[in-house]
Amino acid sequence: MLSGLYAVTPDLDDTTELLRRVGQALQGGLRLLQYRNKPAAAALRREQAGALLALCRAQGVPLVINDDLQLALEIGADGAHLGREDGDLAAARAALGPGKLLGISCYDDIGRAREAKRVGADYVAFGSFFASPTKPAAVRAPLTLLGAAKAGLGLPVCAIGGITLQNAPQLIAAGADLLAVITDLFEAPDIRARAAAYTSLFSERVTP
């Protein structure tokens, strides 16, 4: 069962700095990493993804690639995370094969989440739940969607969008298994400590 801090990489051209920040987050206990760098050229994205995969493998943490199934397949990543414009979900599931993670962005759409489950997604993501500096125009999702998806789908549920250490507890209480965080994690003065603080929120969760 996927659960915990789900770090999404910031847009950095400096691969050394990217690896430094991700390394600190790994030390703090993150459970899943998504490589996302939409503005970067293809060659840089492949370089960074490969370097991150080696770093994550050393720590036993899965790496999934955002919006680029082909890159995930090329480097042998642990999976892919796909949005609305990223192709046929069933074809992606078939291409990844068994044992690889497939995550699907569902925004505020429970119907898309049901389709994701039907084709074999490993988790579904909803949001934005709060104002997000990464996607300021993103559609907002209600907190109640987390509980409804958790009860109705039987899949791990991820929350994304404007998440901070302050608002994270209400997302976990509403049913989020994974918290996808970019800015509040990677712009923190102490990334390792911030990751550890998020991780502790999950250890404090009371299971009914």
Side-chain angles (χ1 to χ4, degrees):
M1 185 72 172
L2 294 168
S3 178
L5 175 60
Y6 181 7
V8 181
T9 59
D11 294 343
L12 291 174
D13 288 340
D14 186 337
T15 302
T16 300
E17 176 62 13
L18 176 63
L19 292 173
R20 185 190 71 82
R21 294 193 198 184
V22 170
Q24 290 186 356
L26 285 164
Q27 291 171 13
L30 78 86
R31 299 295 301 275
L32 184 62
L33 180 70
Q34 180 185 131
Y35 173 61
R36 180 184 186 276
N37 192 346
K38 289 181 179 292
L44 178 60
R45 294 182 76 248
R46 196 182 193 291
E47 172 198 320
Q48 291 185 337
L52 286 171
L53 182 60
L55 183 63
C56 287
R57 286 277 165 83
Q59 298 295 323
V61 171
L63 172 73
V64 299
I65 306 299
N66 174 271
D67 293 356
D68 193 337
L69 176 62
Q70 193 56 44
L71 178 59
L73 295 172
E74 283 178 12
I75 69 166
D78 299 296
H81 182 96
L82 303 180
R84 188 176 284 130
E85 309 300 325
D86 299 323
D88 182 82
L89 301 183
R93 176 73 276 172
L96 285 168
K100 299 287 187 177
L101 295 172
L102 176 61
I104 305 297
S105 290
C106 299
Y107 314 101
D108 63 343
D109 187 351
I110 192 70
R112 179 173 168 83
R114 293 191 187 100
E115 174 63 10
K117 178 180 181 177
R118 187 187 69 79
V119 302
D122 295 286
Y123 68 90
V124 291
F126 295 100
S128 178
F129 287 95
F130 307 101
S132 169
T134 304
K135 291 186 177 182
V139 64
R140 290 291 187 89
L143 282 175
T144 52
L145 188 56
L146 293 169
K150 192 173 179 67
L153 297 175
L155 287 177
V157 175
C158 174
I160 192 168
I163 298 174
T164 66
L165 202 55
Q166 288 67 45
N167 61 36
Q170 62 185 290
L171 294 168
I172 295 172
D177 298 294
L178 293 159
L179 297 180
V181 186
I182 306 174
T183 305
D184 192 61
L185 174 63
F186 287 112
E187 297 300 324
D190 187 334
I191 295 171
R192 178 178 178 176
R194 183 62 54 86
Y198 274 105
T199 298
S200 70
L201 295 177
F202 288 90
S203 66
E204 295 164 4
R205 177 160 60 177
V206 176
T207 302

